[in-house]
Amino acid sequence: MVQAFNPPELWSPFGAFSMAVIQGDGHIVHLKGQISLDRSGQVVGHNDMRAQTRQVLENIRDVLAAMGGQMIDVISLVHYATDIDAFMGTGDIRKEFFTAPFPVTTTVQVERLYRPELMIEIAAIAEIPRERFRHPASDTP
């Protein structure tokens, strides 16, 4: 059984998705692909890959924190970038959020995301240790 979770600290989902899905007894957490929206749903960093990457990673950090997780718990990332060269220039930003051992990653270039001003979407899977995990109250049926 899985449980959907949408932390109130982030923008509200507007479609058929959740910010995170908790699998099993709460150790494995699958995060929805995050984009560079702030809490009010406004795009951060129009056409700025560096600003968007930072906001996306902050969103991932905040979803995890709402369940007791940390960035060190991330085990896998999938990056969807509209400009692979611009994304490759964000390594220093990613290193602000991740330390060794780094999560496994897949990076693909896509023609566009659901809004043309968005340049990056990152999906993550994390394993939060049982002693830190806080099971959120479900806000989704």
Side-chain angles (χ1 to χ4, degrees):
M1 181 173 136
V2 297
Q3 176 187 358
F5 175 57
N6 298 305
E9 295 80 18
L10 293 179
W11 53 277
S12 296
F14 48 82
F17 60 83
S18 299
M19 287 295 180
V21 174
I22 303 161
Q23 177 181 330
D25 63 358
H27 287 112
I28 304 297
V29 179
H30 301 259
L31 281 72
K32 175 225 175 283
Q34 290 295 313
I35 52 178
S36 63
L37 297 183
D38 63 16
R39 185 175 183 162
S40 66
Q42 299 302 307
V43 173
V44 173
H46 285 263
N47 301 312
D48 182 340
M49 180 66 79
R50 291 181 61 79
Q52 289 194 21
T53 298
R54 182 176 304 283
Q55 181 65 47
V56 168
L57 293 172
E58 288 173 357
N59 288 351
I60 290 171
R61 181 195 61 206
D62 293 347
V63 172
L64 290 172
M67 293 176 274
Q70 301 170 6
M71 294 301 271
I72 59 171
D73 301 326
V74 174
I75 56 178
S76 179
L77 297 168
V78 179
H79 307 102
Y80 302 94
T82 60
D83 182 338
I84 199 78
D85 293 325
F87 177 74
M88 295 308 291
T90 65
D92 60 317
I93 295 170
R94 293 190 317 269
K95 286 182 179 177
E96 292 175 24
F97 290 86
F98 299 105
T99 58
F102 296 105
V104 298
T105 63
T106 299
T107 304
V108 294
Q109 181 166 310
V110 295
E111 184 174 331
R112 67 172 285 211
L113 297 170
Y114 88 100
R115 288 173 58 173
E117 65 271 27
L118 295 172
M119 302 179 74
I120 183 75
E121 181 169 338
I122 303 175
I125 299 172
E127 181 177 7
I128 302 173
R130 185 180 308 243
E131 61 272 9
R132 266 198 283 113
F133 183 79
R134 292 188 314 269
H135 213 313
S138 178
D139 65 345
T140 312

